[in-house]
Amino acid sequence: MANDHWLNQEVLFLKGIELIEIPDDTLKNVDNLTIKKNTDLSLIPDGGGCYWIWTNEQIVHSFHKNPIPPRYNSGEFIYNGIAKDNIRVRIARHLFSQIDSTWSAISVDIYPGDTRSHRKKALSSNSKGKVPYIDEHRIRSIEELLSLPNLTQDEKDYVNSITTGDVYFRNGINVTESKHRKFTYKVYYIVKLRSIYMDYIEKKWREKYGVPKLCSYLSGR
């Protein structure tokens, strides 16, 4: 059968990609940049590619129950992803967001209001609603939500004002705001990759080293 030929080709393909290198768990051979201001992003070359976000800010909630990457250098990789067109734009959405940004990005800060946009829930009025985990169980109470470290007084006041309804995370953070600027945020990046290779790196790195806390999927979208 003609199909047998293509099955044999698949065997060769799978053997070939087994030899392809991916970064290690500390990304020691990957370029990185400490991000303090928006203009720092101009130092990242143009193009699509893979990226990882590392911080020494304490993040205790997770959007999945998969194994997470090991801690590294007194911090951890909290997110990784790919950008098919412009990696700088994608990183800016994570680390230089405005309060009402609608682009999906890392979820750390509490959004002060109701929303119809694509924002992740921090607390759900539905007992089965999809909210993040702390210590292997879902956040189900205001007290648990308030246990998140580094919440500002404004965030705490807003959460305490909610008697019914849902609480949402803001899309992205702004590393120049007082809440975050006392911590270090680094971006590790590989640029100018073709889609097939960046997809492979993202998938295999997560399979081998774990899924960063603020990601919500193992692979694919």
Side-chain angles (χ1 to χ4, degrees):
M1 294 177 62
N3 195 65
D4 290 339
H5 169 76
W6 301 112
L7 293 176
N8 290 332
Q9 292 302 303
E10 181 187 52
V11 171
L12 295 176
F13 172 76
L14 294 174
K15 285 183 177 179
I17 62 175
E18 288 177 358
L19 304 176
I20 302 299
E21 183 180 356
I22 64 168
D24 68 9
D25 58 336
T26 65
L27 306 180
K28 67 181 178 184
N29 291 324
V30 177
D31 291 325
N32 67 84
L33 184 66
T34 297
I35 304 295
K36 293 185 177 297
K37 55 188 183 300
N38 197 288
T39 52
D40 291 335
L41 297 179
S42 65
L43 299 174
I44 300 175
D46 287 328
C50 305
Y51 65 93
W52 293 257
I53 297 174
W54 175 96
T55 186
N56 60 358
E57 182 170 0
Q58 185 183 16
I59 307 293
V60 300
H61 63 285
S62 176
F63 289 99
H64 60 82
K65 295 181 72 174
N66 297 294
I68 61 174
R71 290 184 60 82
Y72 166 64
N73 198 21
S74 300
E76 62 183 328
F77 294 104
I78 59 169
Y79 194 89
N80 81 305
I82 58 177
K84 298 295 178 74
D85 298 317
N86 191 323
I87 196 171
R88 290 199 305 236
V89 169
R90 191 74 184 99
I91 294 168
R93 290 171 182 167
H94 288 299
L95 301 182
F96 294 98
S97 81
Q98 300 301 310
I99 189 68
D100 288 321
S101 293
T102 57
W103 291 98
S104 180
I106 59 174
S107 298
V108 176
D109 300 340
I110 300 300
Y111 180 71
D114 198 5
T115 180
R116 293 183 180 179
S117 181
H118 181 65
R119 293 186 175 91
K120 292 186 175 70
K121 286 183 179 180
L123 186 65
S124 178
S125 56
N126 183 335
S127 62
K128 295 183 179 179
K130 186 176 180 181
V131 293
Y133 296 93
I134 296 179
D135 296 330
E136 298 296 316
H137 68 276
R138 298 274 193 184
I139 295 175
R140 295 301 184 196
S141 69
I142 287 177
E143 291 72 26
E144 287 177 320
L145 184 56
L146 290 172
S147 73
L148 296 182
N150 304 319
L151 292 183
T152 66
Q153 190 59 50
D154 285 345
E155 288 174 297
K156 292 178 181 178
D157 290 344
Y158 175 75
V159 171
N160 279 318
S161 74
I162 301 299
T163 55
T164 60
D166 301 321
V167 180
Y168 293 86
F169 284 107
R170 171 178 168 178
N171 281 328
I173 66 172
N174 191 322
V175 295
T176 67
E177 293 176 359
S178 59
K179 177 181 179 179
H180 300 292
R181 66 185 177 212
K182 58 189 174 182
F183 301 104
T184 300
Y185 277 83
K186 285 187 177 183
V187 172
Y188 290 70
Y189 55 91
I190 309 172
V191 296
K192 302 184 184 299
L193 297 179
R194 297 186 181 185
S195 294
I196 190 171
Y197 187 32
M198 68 174 79
D199 287 339
Y200 179 78
I201 289 176
E202 180 189 52
K203 181 176 186 293
K204 288 300 180 181
W205 194 88
R206 290 180 178 183
E207 287 179 354
K208 188 169 185 179
Y209 301 118
V211 182
K213 289 177 177 177
L214 301 186
C215 298
S216 54
Y217 58 90
L218 178 59
S219 64
R221 299 212 177 29

